[in-house]
Amino acid sequence: MTEQTPPGSGVLATIGATPIVELVKLDPLSPFRMFAKLESHNPGGSIKDRSALEMLRERIRDGRLVPGRSVVVESSSGNLGIGLAQVCGYYGIRFICVVDPRTTRHNIAVMRALGAEVEVVTDVDPATGEYLPVRIRRVRELVASIEHAYCPDQYSNPLNPQAHHTTVREIVRALPEIDYLFCATSSCGTLRGCAEYIRMHQLPVTIVAVDALGSAIFGPAVGWRMIPGHGASVRPKLYRGDLADVVVRVDDLDAIAACRRLAAREAILVGGSSGAVVAGLEQMRDQIRPGSTCAMVFPDRGERYLDTIYDDDWVMTSFGDVAHLWNKPEWNEPDMQVTPC
């Protein structure tokens, strides 16, 4: 692959333009309409493909990344690592991804299959008890020690949210009467990009940020997070206090139960952050105006969670006998965790 190859060609040209489907079986008695943006249809399987391409192609264009010479180093819980591995693999750029034990074996295998070098940190940060600060420190060490190394830094890079101006533009074009937009949070790239576009165009959309209870993005972390890619142990630099109109915090069990209900009722297999988005909408059900149109961004696919979220033995070991949360036909209403901004 030569550096003259146009950024965004080949398989990378298929990133974006993902489908939107209406969910009619999840809650047949819903007084409002629900639509899901299926980011699993990106070639790397997640919304992070958009961020990976946006952050790297600009550096290829301006000459800061040179195929065959440059080395990309980044911290990821999985999906961004796969997206970066795909982009780097296509352009012939060496890629090192720093992950932690929460990253699924499936995600690590996919990254390595695409040519990435994967380093797993096993120590936690003594101050926070979390892996993320350790991952970030290791990335800095690698960048400092490797010639021609470059870190996109998804947590502060403005090109990350810029990628999602396109995401929300696709949603608005498909649903011109949208009233609510639900986004999961991690790096705050998707949330910030959607918020920037909506505010820039003065659209009358209520933006709902869905965060994990064990996350520190919108407040003190409450409990331990088991699902990777949703929430963060450190508030990202992309965070701003005015990004969301409403914040909903969801625990792991509610996210898992929502994933299982989606699979059982809509035949849609999604990852934990998508389940969290559904659980967040469920928590707000009584606050959403009848007749409204709600859009949810589903970040990734469920095949990467077959050993956890969709494994009955894992769920039983982690949470006990909770199958009634997705087997019963009636709508499940979890405890409220809604915080107006």
Side-chain angles (χ1 to χ4, degrees), residues 118-130:
V118 181
E119 181 172 323
V120 184
V121 301
T122 56
D123 295 330
V124 296
D125 176 57
T128 64
E130 294 284 349

Side-chain angles (χ1 to χ4, degrees), residues 5-335:
T5 303
S9 60
V11 69
L12 304 183
T14 67
I15 293 174
T18 53
I20 296 179
V21 298
E22 184 169 9
L23 306 181
V24 295
K25 299 183 68 178
L26 183 64
D27 177 18
L29 301 179
S30 174
F32 48 82
R33 300 178 74 187
M34 297 179 288
F35 294 83
K37 179 74 162 163
L38 303 182
E39 289 297 297
S40 60
H41 285 245
N42 284 304
S46 85
I47 196 168
K48 295 291 189 176
D49 287 9
R50 297 179 188 258
S51 299
L53 179 60
E54 187 73 15
M55 290 191 294
L56 295 192
R57 70 178 168 186
E58 292 304 315
R59 299 292 76 87
I60 293 172
R61 284 170 175 161
D62 66 22
R64 291 174 61 183
L65 279 179
V66 179
R69 184 186 72 182
S70 299
V71 182
V72 172
V73 185
E74 180 62 292
S75 160
S76 172
S77 61
N79 283 333
L80 182 70
I82 291 172
L84 290 172
Q86 181 176 243
V87 176
C88 289
Y90 185 76
Y91 288 112
I93 298 172
R94 182 185 173 195
F95 172 49
I96 304 172
C97 190
V98 180
V99 303
D100 63 53
R102 288 181 186 159
T103 305
T104 67
R105 290 177 297 174
H106 180 102
N107 283 350
I108 292 174
V110 172
M111 282 186 265
R112 286 177 171 155
L114 288 168
E117 301 167 37
V118 181
E119 181 172 323
V120 184
V121 301
T122 56
D123 295 330
V124 296
D125 176 57
T128 64
E130 294 284 349
Y131 293 112
L132 180 57
V134 180
R135 279 170 27 200
I136 293 174
R137 284 196 292 270
R138 182 56 182 156
V139 166
R140 291 171 180 163
E141 291 171 358
L142 289 169
V143 170
S145 63
I146 298 174
E147 190 175 10
H148 304 303
Y150 168 73
C151 174
D153 189 6
Q154 62 167 318
Y155 309 104
S156 66
N157 192 332
L159 293 174
N160 182 358
Q162 183 173 302
H164 300 294
H165 291 193
T166 302
T167 307
V168 72
R169 182 166 63 244
E170 293 172 9
I171 294 172
V172 170
R173 285 177 176 173
L175 305 171
E177 302 299 324
I178 178 176
D179 299 294
Y180 296 85
L181 177 65
F182 289 76
C183 293
T185 57
S186 55
S187 70
C188 286
T190 303
L191 176 64
R192 180 162 173 170
C194 290
E196 286 174 348
Y197 184 92
I198 287 169
R199 305 277 165 65
M200 184 189 312
H201 293 274
Q202 300 181 322
L203 302 177
V205 179
T206 298
I207 303 170
V208 182
V210 181
D211 196 16
L213 274 181
S215 168
I217 298 176
F218 289 98
V222 181
W224 176 259
R225 288 180 297 122
M226 301 178 72
I227 298 175
H230 178 220
S233 58
V234 177
R235 178 174 285 172
K237 292 181 180 179
L238 290 176
Y239 168 88
R240 285 199 328 235
D242 62 348
L243 292 179
D245 300 303
V246 179
V247 176
V248 182
R249 303 185 77 184
V250 173
D251 66 25
D252 283 344
L253 179 55
D254 287 340
I256 290 167
C259 286
R260 301 291 290 257
R261 286 196 298 275
L262 273 169
R265 301 179 189 180
E266 296 282 355
I268 298 175
L269 202 66
V270 295
S273 54
S274 302
V277 169
V278 171
L281 184 147
E282 291 174 357
Q283 290 187 20
M284 284 193 62
R285 187 173 187 266
D286 293 339
Q287 302 174 41
I288 296 174
R289 297 183 303 273
S292 296
T293 296
C294 300
M296 296 176 283
V297 179
F298 284 5
D300 68 355
R301 60 178 55 150
E303 289 90 338
R304 295 167 184 175
Y305 305 86
L306 294 178
D307 293 336
T308 54
I309 291 172
Y310 297 99
D311 184 88
D312 290 340
D313 292 336
W314 182 88
V315 174
M316 174 71 77
T317 300
S318 302
F319 300 99
D321 186 3
V322 293
H324 62 281
L325 295 177
W326 54 85
N327 287 334
K328 65 181 183 180
E330 64 269 22
W331 179 267
N332 176 56
E333 296 184 3
D335 294 334

